[in-house]
């Protein structure tokens, strides 16, 4: 009884046994169904390409600006380090009589330390690189003190 009720509800429909070759087809009524047209993808992708190109150009400009900024900071660090080394070379020819004679060099070393530490904060130098450079400066000063007899390690 239940089977006849179900069959009665589908009595107006016919079932097709043909396979469909393209698109969507209704296996129940035999009418061909078509999908809704898709929105144009080319317009969106070209717009995206333009935006991506603009982003890459902006990124190039930013990178170049940062490179020049970082280059000037690194140059300042090397210049200050050279000033310290040159000042210490002068003391190798005529050793200082006391540590007070090295006060101008200590001022240069302090300025170099400030510039190096600021470069680390700004992300221009790695922390270990900064520590190594500061150690070179301190070691050079210590060598002058040892050679002059003012410091015994």
């Amino acid at each position: 009884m239940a089977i006849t009720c179900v069959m009665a509800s589908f009595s107006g429909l016919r079932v097709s046994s043909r396979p469909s070759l393209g698109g969507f087809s209704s296996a129940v009524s035999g009418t061909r169904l078509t999908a809704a047209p898709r929105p144009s993808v080319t317009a969106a992708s070209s717009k995206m390409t333009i935006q991506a190109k603009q982003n890459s150009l902006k990124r190039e400009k930013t990178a170049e600006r940062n490179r020049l900024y970082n280059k000037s900071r690194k140059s300042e660090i090397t210049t200050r380090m050279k000033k310290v080394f040159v000042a210490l070379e002068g003391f190798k020819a005529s050793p200082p009589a006391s540590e007070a004679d090295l006060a101008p060099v200590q001022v240069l070393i302090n300025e170099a330390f400030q510039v190096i530490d600021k470069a680390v904060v700004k992300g221009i130098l790695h922390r270990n690189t900064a520590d190594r450079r500061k150690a070179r400066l301190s070691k050079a000063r210590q060598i002058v003190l040892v050679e002059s007899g003012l410091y015994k390690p």
Side-chain angles (χ1 to χ4, degrees):
M1 175 104 168
I3 295 176
T4 57
C5 290
V6 172
M7 293 296 285
S9 63
F10 291 109
S11 64
L13 301 175
R14 62 184 172 92
V15 177
S16 172
S17 62
R18 284 185 318 188
S20 173
L21 294 177
F24 296 105
S25 68
S26 172
V28 178
S29 66
T31 60
R32 188 169 180 94
L33 298 177
T34 58
R38 295 180 67 184
S40 175
V41 178
T42 57
S45 66
S46 66
K47 188 174 185 181
M48 212 158 94
T49 304
I50 291 171
Q51 288 176 350
K53 183 70 173 175
Q54 289 171 343
N55 289 342
S56 66
L57 291 175
K58 181 179 179 183
R59 192 71 197 130
E60 285 178 19
K61 283 178 18 180
T62 306
E64 181 65 17
R65 183 185 69 225
N66 292 343
R67 185 187 70 83
L68 293 174
Y69 177 78
N70 295 344
K71 183 179 175 183
S72 69
R73 290 287 183 148
K74 286 181 182 182
S75 175
E76 182 182 5
I77 291 170
T78 55
T79 301
R80 292 196 184 262
M81 287 180 68
K82 278 184 185 178
K83 285 182 180 181
V84 171
F85 292 135
V86 167
L88 289 173
E89 283 292 324
F91 283 112
K92 284 186 178 180
S94 61
S98 67
E99 275 195 58
D101 294 341
L102 286 176
V105 175
Q106 188 60 43
V107 170
L108 291 175
I109 290 174
N110 291 343
E111 289 173 356
F113 277 19
Q114 287 176 354
V115 172
I116 290 171
D117 289 335
K118 191 169 184 178
V120 171
V121 170
K122 296 287 185 180
I124 297 166
L125 283 183
H126 192 270
R127 182 177 60 240
N128 294 348
T129 304
D131 290 342
R132 189 175 63 246
R133 292 185 182 186
K134 292 191 315 190
R136 279 181 63 198
L137 293 170
S138 297
K139 185 72 174 175
R141 180 180 178 272
Q142 184 180 8
I143 289 172
V144 169
L145 288 173
V146 168
E147 288 176 354
S148 66
L150 297 173
Y151 178 77
K152 294 182 182 178

